Amino acid sequence: ALLQDAHRWNLASSYTLSATISACAKGSKLELVLVLLDEALERSALKSEAQGEDAHCEVDVVAFRAVLLACQELGQWQHSLDVLARMRRLQIEPDSLCCVVVAMAW
C-alpha cells in the first residue's frame, strides 16, 4: 500500500522501491519482493511508453541490487541468478556490488 501511495503522489523512485523491497526481505517475503519488482517494471514500461523515454527508467541497478540482497539474505541463490539474468535482458548493467551479492548468495 505504501508503494502504491508513493506512485499516486509521484514520490516513487528506485530508492522508494529499494526501501520497500528491503522491508519485505526483512519480513522473509521473497515472493512479495519479486512481485514488487514485476509491478515496478510494468509500471515503468507503461510510463516510458507514454512519455517516450527509455524503458525501465525508474527501475535501475539500485532497485535490482535490493532484490539481489533480499535473495542473498533469504538464502535464495537460484533466484539471484534469475534476477541477474533479467537485468542483462533489460540491458541494466549490474555493478560490482550486484556481482558480489550474487557470489555471496551462493
Side-chain angles (χ1 to χ4, degrees), residues 55-92:
H56 317 299
C57 57
E58 291 177 1
V59 184
D60 61 6
V61 69
V62 173
F64 271 98
R65 190 182 316 126
V67 174
L68 291 170
L69 280 166
C71 293
Q72 180 213 2
E73 289 173 12
L74 299 171
Q76 298 294 321
W77 63 269
Q78 302 93 335
H79 285 291
S80 66
L81 294 177
D82 293 340
V83 171
L84 194 61
R86 191 172 192 183
M87 289 177 73
R88 291 196 175 134
R89 279 193 308 274
L90 295 170
Q91 299 178 345
I92 297 173

Side-chain angles (χ1 to χ4, degrees), residues 4-68:
Q4 289 173 341
D5 288 343
H7 281 290
R8 195 176 12 234
W9 299 326
N10 290 324
L11 299 174
S13 69
S14 65
Y15 296 103
T16 309
L17 177 61
S18 298
T20 306
I21 287 169
S22 296
C24 291
K26 300 244 183 292
S28 299
K29 305 286 186 193
L30 184 61
E31 294 293 326
L32 185 53
V33 166
L34 298 174
V35 167
L36 285 170
L37 178 63
D38 288 342
E39 288 178 358
L41 286 167
E42 185 177 312
R43 187 178 311 242
S44 184
L46 291 173
K47 183 177 177 182
S48 297
E49 264 182 40
Q51 296 178 353
E53 298 174 0
D54 290 338
H56 317 299
C57 57
E58 291 177 1
V59 184
D60 61 6
V61 69
V62 173
F64 271 98
R65 190 182 316 126
V67 174
L68 291 170

